[in-house]
Amino acid sequence: MVAMQPALGQFPSNQNYGRTGFDQSGRYQNVPQIAQNPNYQSQNSIPTIPSAAMTSPMPGDAQQPIETTESKWKVPAFAQKVMQGGWLMVPLGVCSLIVFALTIERMIALRRGRVIPRPFVRRFTECVEDGQLSYEEATEICDEFDCPVAEVFQAAVRRWGRPMFEVEQAVMDAGDRVSDSLKRFLRVFHAISNVAPLLGLLGTVLGMIEAFDMMSSQESIGRPEMLASGISVALITTAGGLSVAIPAYLAYMYFSSKSDSYLNEIDKLCQRVVDCISAEGLENAGNANRSAGRKRRAA
């Protein structure tokens, strides 16, 4: 019998197989190395598309903007709570702005250096008590300084040499005018501290009415969370009213006590001036000077 040669064309010896399909004895060796070669690709297999090509846009496709979380602006949680309070949060916000602006103004206006400047008070009182100031010089010094204490001193100087009763009456009238200027806007603080809680209470009542109307509808049957959310929204106005009223009342008490302390100090300073420039004070000062001169001559 004639030995048939293996058809080597069916089993080509290439790099994918590594060795021929038959050994020298004619036995078939099924040891393909196709799986061992990761770069092998069959002729009938579908070629894979690179990932970069899949993700790259086609020339005709429109470029879609990529939205990120950083590009989206979100309203802060506190602002959302305030907006949930309803339209009554608008007047409460206006009241808070008024309280803030008037607080800054009062802090600047009630500075000690502006109400009772120490250089002016020391210079005026010492010179008057020593008798070194005349009527014209005292008037010029009061006109030089524009402050509440200078206004009261000037009213006393205008009654120079008059009886003590007249001088004190002039000081009291000037003190009333100064008191009005020092206690300016205090009524606004007091009014806001009383009105803001009432606005908050009104918003709460309106919110509770709306919440219970919602509960009476058929859609809210068996859903207690709707009532809870309505009550929480209604209480926001109460919290807003108290947040405005408490600082307003504290500002009212602080500036009221500060202006009262300034008025008490001005009253004490004016009493020293009245004792020196009234008719009784000038007479006592003249008698003291005459007695001092007699003692010097006797000595």
Side-chain angles (χ1 to χ4, degrees), residues 85 87-99 192 195-201 203 236-245:
W87 62 272
L88 282 175
M89 297 300 292
V90 176
L92 290 176
V94 174
C95 291
S96 65
L97 293 178
I98 293 174
V99 170
I192 291 177
V195 172
L198 297 179
L199 290 175
L201 182 60
I236 292 176
T237 54
T238 301
L242 294 176
S243 300
V244 176

Side-chain angles (χ1 to χ4, degrees), residues 154-175:
Q154 190 173 15
V157 171
R158 290 173 182 171
R159 299 296 189 274
W160 189 289
R162 299 290 183 86
M164 185 175 293
F165 175 78
E166 294 184 10
V167 181
E168 289 179 350
Q169 187 63 38
V171 169
M172 290 176 61
D173 295 339

